[in-house]
Amino acid sequence: MKLPITLFEEMQDYAAKYHVPIISMEGAELLVRTVTNSKPLSILEIGTAIGYSTLKIAESMPDDAKIVTIELDPERVETARFFIKQSGAEDRIQLLTGDAGGILSNLNEIFDLVFIDAAKGQYLDYFKKIETKLSYRAVVIADNVLFRGYVDSDAVPPRRYRTIVKRLREYLQYVSNHPHFETNLFRIGDGVAISYHRGTQCE
């Protein structure tokens, strides 16, 4: 489903004007390529923002695929709804409002692809809550995992970032050493980690 380039340009302009973080251009290209190659039918996005990455996924996924996306900020939810409606893909996108930590525990679907781009300090918690909700061919993509370069640097991060950096390091260590996943780290944008399910049962 090809979406208008002008729609994405409008969203980029909105994000720049109102200081809404969206995925980098390089990150978006990697996301699109991963979705295209993995052909997921059921997709979970944690962190909708204004729906930019949601629509990048929608454009690249199979025609019969569906997305569940979660956003905490009610104002951003309304903006995302506006852009999603413009795209014509609203019948394939379920937008949930609320805290992902609570919502994830109540989801019953099995997902083929998960994109994490929400509260950086919660990535490991999110991953653990979706581990048993993944198909054997699932792919988990996490954006901003290097957080301004601090995560894989020996430099001491500013005090206000130390907890985030510590938790992102814990996330990368967990997925990199997980027996049921193979994880690749891409140093593009602010860092993207892609974890591929090996096809064996998670305990």
Side-chain angles (χ1 to χ4, degrees):
M1 179 182 185
K2 196 67 179 173
L3 301 182
I5 293 175
T6 52
L7 175 58
F8 289 113
E9 290 174 343
E10 183 182 349
M11 297 177 81
Q12 290 165 10
D13 290 344
Y14 181 98
K17 181 177 180 179
Y18 294 102
H19 308 290
V20 179
I22 60 174
I23 192 169
S24 69
M25 298 303 291
E26 287 179 307
E29 290 174 3
L30 179 60
L31 176 63
V32 165
R33 190 162 64 247
T34 304
V35 172
T36 301
N37 291 340
S38 60
K39 298 178 176 60
L41 296 180
S42 54
I43 299 157
L44 172 65
E45 179 183 45
I46 305 171
T48 315
I50 61 171
Y52 185 81
S53 53
T54 316
L55 293 180
K56 282 290 182 182
I57 294 170
E59 185 178 48
S60 313
M61 69 188 188
D63 291 340
D64 53 346
K66 292 188 179 297
I67 303 172
V68 174
T69 183
I70 304 168
E71 175 56 45
L72 177 62
D73 187 325
E75 186 175 334
R76 289 185 179 177
V77 167
E78 290 309 306
T79 305
R81 288 193 196 283
F82 170 78
F83 285 123
I84 290 170
K85 187 173 183 179
Q86 277 191 287
S87 76
E90 67 266 34
D91 60 330
R92 299 196 293 154
I93 299 171
Q94 181 184 11
L95 179 51
L96 304 178
T97 307
D99 178 63
I103 292 174
L104 293 176
S105 299
N106 295 316
L107 293 178
N108 296 317
E109 294 95 330
I110 298 297
F111 297 100
D112 299 321
L113 185 139
V114 179
F115 179 53
I116 306 175
D117 189 13
K120 307 298 172 273
Q122 302 302 315
Y123 276 25
L124 183 53
D125 179 64
Y126 296 153
F127 190 92
K128 288 182 176 180
K129 284 178 176 173
I130 54 116
E131 271 187 87
T132 58
K133 305 175 193 291
L134 299 174
S135 70
Y136 284 178
R137 65 187 189 93
V139 181
V140 180
I141 306 165
D143 196 21
N144 304 122
V145 292
L146 296 182
F147 194 70
R148 308 183 184 195
Y150 290 122
V151 172
D152 65 347
S153 170
D154 293 331
V156 178
R159 183 179 299 275
R160 67 184 180 277
Y161 295 147
R162 287 179 190 172
T163 298
I164 290 174
V165 170
K166 175 177 178 290
R167 290 183 177 179
L168 283 172
R169 285 173 176 165
E170 290 171 349
Y171 174 81
L172 289 176
Q173 182 178 33
Y174 185 82
V175 295
S176 296
N177 293 297
H178 200 297
H180 302 296
F181 291 86
E182 178 180 344
T183 298
N184 298 324
L185 178 61
F186 297 85
R187 287 175 170 79
I188 60 174
D190 205 16
V192 180
I194 303 183
S195 302
Y196 296 90
H197 201 299
R198 297 181 187 273
T200 52
Q201 179 67 47
C202 286
E203 300 298 333

